[in-house]
Amino acid sequence: MNQISLVPTPVKFFYTLTIYSAILLKKGGIAIEIHHFGVSISMMDIFYARIPHDHPQKTFIEAQMNNMKIGHRGEAKLLRFLEEVNFKQSPLVIRNFLTRVHQKRIIQIDYLLVTRKYLLIIEVKNIAGHIQFNSNPPQMIRTLEGRPSQAMECPFVQLDRNLDGFIASLPDSKLPIYTSLVWANSSTTFDLPFEAPHLFLTLKKVPLMIQELEKLPDLLSNKQFNALKKKIVQKAQSFQEQSFCDRYQINPLDLRKGLYCVECYQLLTKSMRTWICTNCKLNATQFVDVNVLSLFSIQNSQLTITDIRNHLPELQSRQVRKVLDSYGYISKGNTKSKRYFKPMEWEEHQ
Ligand SMILES: [Zn+2]
């Protein structure tokens, strides 16, 4: 087979996370209302692969995607420590709060806590190695043994920007806003030659920090608190309902056609009845599904078979339909213009 030795494709999460979900965690009689606004990393990978190399948004999307990948595991760890907190009243916790501040500006907050007393914006980092913080220019330089040093965006600047963007998108909030950088990797060593401009904590300290905030006075009535919660959840939801193209201002007509590798972003090629990535040297047949399904996130939540085949001309209608059916996609309309859409609640698949 073209002198390519095929290795089995690694098992991937297609639906890493649900579109959104509200879970209630019970802790000592107080429920924590958690909304998790996630995105499937594999779908983001396909979106990235489809954007032409010279597109002005390509680097921005790459940065966002890498951020998501590094942050994901650390963010999950934080949740466990939030459960330790003895909240006075049920808070609203939003994980991965994304909103558009204005046409050209999106903010992404790892965790947002909304209470009657305060708002808390948490940025979670889960990076190993040695971290050197520099103030001018603001950067963090990560060193891992045996590898070249790597400059990364300063998380304090990210927090500055998130705070500024959040205030701009919610100007009439009466609550004080606190910010914190939480480091989720316990093996990391630091060199911080200046005073941290935001509260800088390890995971274990998070419950204690929030416990202190819980001592603050209530500033909102029940009615005001519920109105605020509703407003914030709606902001996050309306962003999530937008397609990736709308969010990142990409014209769907500019997207590259074809099937792409989730690992290396190269075009897949067909060899006999198998899809392969010649770059990764792997059997990529299972990437066909995510290439089809991701279009519902990338372009539009409702698509016809023709819409899908415009992006994936190598696939036959029958193959597309088979993928949609096997993932429980629902269709409506007449045979010719039948539109498919995804089921409301997506289960986590592995
Ligand atoms: Zn590949």
Side-chain angles (χ1 to χ4, degrees):
M1 209 183 260
N2 304 342
Q3 282 99 37
I4 293 167
S5 60
L6 295 177
V7 295
T9 318
V11 177
K12 285 282 273 188
F13 282 95
F14 281 171
Y15 310 92
T16 316
L17 308 161
T18 51
I19 294 176
Y20 70 85
S21 57
I23 313 153
L24 294 172
L25 289 182
K26 297 268 188 223
K27 168 76 182 80
I30 298 281
I32 304 176
E33 184 182 349
I34 297 175
H35 290 250
H36 184 179
F37 292 93
V39 63
S40 159
I41 301 288
S42 318
M43 296 203 180
M44 213 43 204
D45 281 324
I46 299 292
F47 177 51
Y48 176 74
R50 289 194 183 288
I51 299 167
H53 293 300
D54 56 356
H55 197 286
Q57 287 285 78
K58 184 114 180 166
T59 17
F60 174 68
I61 292 161
E62 184 176 14
Q64 287 252 319
M65 196 172 70
N66 289 337
N67 234 347
M68 275 181 212
K69 287 182 183 177
I70 302 170
H72 179 60
R73 212 177 304 153
E75 288 172 33
K77 285 189 206 167
L78 180 74
L79 204 54
R80 232 181 38 234
F81 286 90
L82 284 182
E83 288 176 64
E84 271 187 29
V85 179
N86 190 9
F87 285 101
K88 298 265 193 290
Q89 293 135 340
S90 174
L92 166 68
V93 176
I94 296 186
R95 186 173 159 189
N96 193 29
F97 175 83
L98 278 142
T99 196
R100 185 182 299 283
V101 181
H102 57 69
Q103 198 56 19
K104 294 278 173 199
R105 186 162 176 212
I106 296 166
I107 53 166
Q108 186 269 329
I109 293 173
D110 292 340
Y111 274 93
L112 174 65
L113 260 76
V114 184
T115 73
R116 286 177 176 76
K117 304 160 184 286
Y118 59 90
L119 294 161
L120 173 62
I121 292 173
I122 297 179
E123 175 73 31
V124 184
K125 286 285 173 250
N126 188 36
I127 302 171
H130 178 76
I131 302 286
Q132 159 82 47
F133 285 94
N134 289 343
S135 57
N136 199 11
Q139 271 185 332
M140 59 177 186
I141 314 291
R142 185 261 281 269
T143 315
L144 268 179
E145 226 170 274
R147 288 207 227 160
S149 296
Q150 190 185 0
M152 297 172 172
E153 198 188 345
C154 176
F156 295 127
V157 174
Q158 269 174 280
L159 269 172
D160 285 340
R161 288 172 53 84
N162 280 344
L163 177 60
D164 175 75
F166 185 79
I167 293 170
S169 71
L170 202 80
D172 48 356
S173 155
K174 294 180 180 70
L175 298 172
I177 305 174
Y178 292 83
T179 53
S180 177
L181 169 64
V182 173
W183 211 272
N185 193 309
S186 53
S187 70
T188 316
T189 55
F190 300 98
D191 192 354
L192 179 62
F194 52 91
E195 200 183 327
H198 297 270
L199 205 53
F200 183 21
L201 302 172
T202 57
L203 268 179
K204 278 191 173 162
K205 282 251 178 161
V206 170
L208 294 169
M209 179 261 294
I210 297 178
Q211 215 63 70
E212 279 304 304
L213 294 178
E214 283 292 300
K215 292 177 184 165
L216 293 165
D218 280 359
L219 294 175
L220 301 182
S221 67
N222 265 348
K223 199 177 158 195
Q224 288 171 318
F225 180 53
N226 288 333
L228 177 67
K229 282 200 295 188
K230 198 173 160 195
K231 197 168 171 182
I232 289 176
V233 169
Q234 273 173 356
K235 264 187 195 299
Q237 270 173 358
S238 64
F239 186 84
Q240 293 291 326
E241 279 156 13
Q242 293 181 326
S243 67
F244 292 176
C245 282
D246 284 347
R247 285 185 209 180
Y248 298 104
Q249 286 152 4
I250 306 276
N251 184 341
L253 295 175
D254 290 343
L255 295 175
R256 301 159 78 200
K257 294 181 195 304
L259 289 150
Y260 289 88
C261 174
V262 173
E263 300 290 334
C264 71
Y265 313 124
Q266 300 280 325
L267 256 181
L268 302 180
T269 49
K270 201 165 188 188
S271 174
M272 311 289 284
R273 304 182 74 176
T274 313
W275 287 96
I276 51 178
C277 175
T278 50
N279 188 45
C280 297
K281 297 189 172 39
L282 54 75
N283 177 340
T285 301
Q286 78 159 39
F287 293 161
V288 172
D289 294 2
V290 74
N291 270 276
V292 172
L293 301 181
S294 61
L295 288 171
F296 290 83
S297 298
I298 292 171
Q299 199 196 329
N300 200 313
S301 57
Q302 294 192 20
L303 295 170
T304 63
I305 301 284
T306 312
D307 293 334
I308 294 168
R309 292 192 59 227
N310 280 339
H311 290 281
L312 309 169
E314 302 93 334
L315 294 184
Q316 291 163 358
S317 301
R318 177 179 51 82
Q319 293 173 294
V320 174
R321 216 171 287 124
K322 195 176 153 205
V323 174
L324 297 178
D325 287 344
S326 69
Y327 286 86
Y329 274 56
I330 303 155
S331 61
K332 65 177 179 198
N334 302 324
T335 341
K336 263 276 177 207
S337 57
K338 206 177 202 177
R339 303 182 78 79
Y340 284 81
F341 53 98
K342 54 196 163 193
M344 284 304 281
E345 279 290 319
W346 285 11
E347 298 294 325
E348 239 175 60
H349 280 240
Q350 200 175 355

